[in-house]
Amino acid sequence: MHRKFALWAVLLVLSGCAGPGYFEAIPPSSPEQSVVYLYRPEADNPGRQPLRFSYPDVLIDEQSVGTLHFNSYRRIELAPGRHNLRITGLTRQAKWEPRDIKQQFSVAPGEVKYLKLDVRFNLSEMNLGSMGPSYLIHVRPMRADEAVYEIRNTEPQTP
């Protein structure tokens, strides 16, 4: 009887840990600033996660804001205006082989913007005769009402 109760207690605790997390965006520190959340969630493909142990360096206006690991996010506070984003493996702190991704984005004063680093297997190019995995890697602007459901399952990454 004790053993059965203990087993149920362990299962209940574990099932509670498996639920979705909580996320609430932190607004800019002042109305004259903006915030960008850059996140890299799990891929929706079955099985192994692409580039799980690889991570790029994130450069904004050619200044590193840190790396972006698998299943994590970064909160980046910026001045409003137009910015250049570069996802790269060409720095010492990066562990990333894919080619650079460059993208421009704009933020308004007080705005909170969400950018998703979407890393997936390119299943249309992967077959039994292929030399190795192929990837689809994009930075996608996301609506807040969609992004929060993905970010809540990731971990914050600090500098």
Side-chain angles (χ1 to χ4, degrees):
M1 180 79 166
H2 252 27
R3 209 175 247 175
K4 201 181 262 189
F5 177 75
L7 179 62
W8 279 107
V10 168
L11 288 175
L12 183 63
V13 168
L14 289 176
S15 67
C17 294
Y22 174 77
F23 172 80
E24 185 174 347
I26 299 170
S29 61
S30 77
E32 295 83 34
Q33 289 292 98
S34 306
V35 170
V36 172
Y37 280 95
L38 180 62
Y39 68 102
R40 181 182 170 197
E42 290 185 355
D44 59 3
N45 60 265
R48 199 178 73 171
Q49 291 293 307
L51 299 170
R52 181 182 183 110
F53 300 107
S54 296
Y55 45 89
D57 194 6
V58 177
L59 305 178
I60 295 184
D61 301 327
E62 292 304 311
Q63 297 296 312
S64 176
V65 295
T67 57
L68 186 63
H69 290 255
F70 168 76
N71 210 27
S72 68
Y73 71 86
R74 277 196 176 280
R75 179 185 180 277
I76 306 159
E77 194 153 328
L78 298 168
R82 193 162 195 75
H83 297 279
N84 294 304
L85 171 71
R86 182 163 63 120
I87 305 295
T88 186
L90 299 176
T91 64
R92 288 185 191 270
Q93 56 267 35
K95 183 181 172 196
W96 185 257
E97 289 191 26
R99 290 189 173 266
D100 286 5
I101 297 172
K102 295 178 182 178
Q103 189 166 316
Q104 288 189 338
F105 66 93
S106 294
V107 283
E111 181 180 10
V112 176
K113 184 177 283 277
Y114 298 88
L115 298 174
K116 174 183 178 179
L117 178 58
D118 196 7
V119 181
R120 302 169 184 249
F121 285 117
N122 185 356
L123 299 176
S124 66
E125 289 188 8
M126 293 173 62
N127 55 43
L128 282 157
S130 63
M131 294 297 289
S134 176
Y135 306 103
L136 295 170
I137 304 171
H138 302 281
V139 174
R140 301 181 190 287
M142 299 295 289
R143 291 188 352 226
D145 60 345
E146 291 179 17
V148 295
Y149 285 99
E150 293 181 315
I151 290 177
R152 74 179 183 170
N153 294 316
T154 64
E155 293 295 322
Q157 197 173 326
T158 57

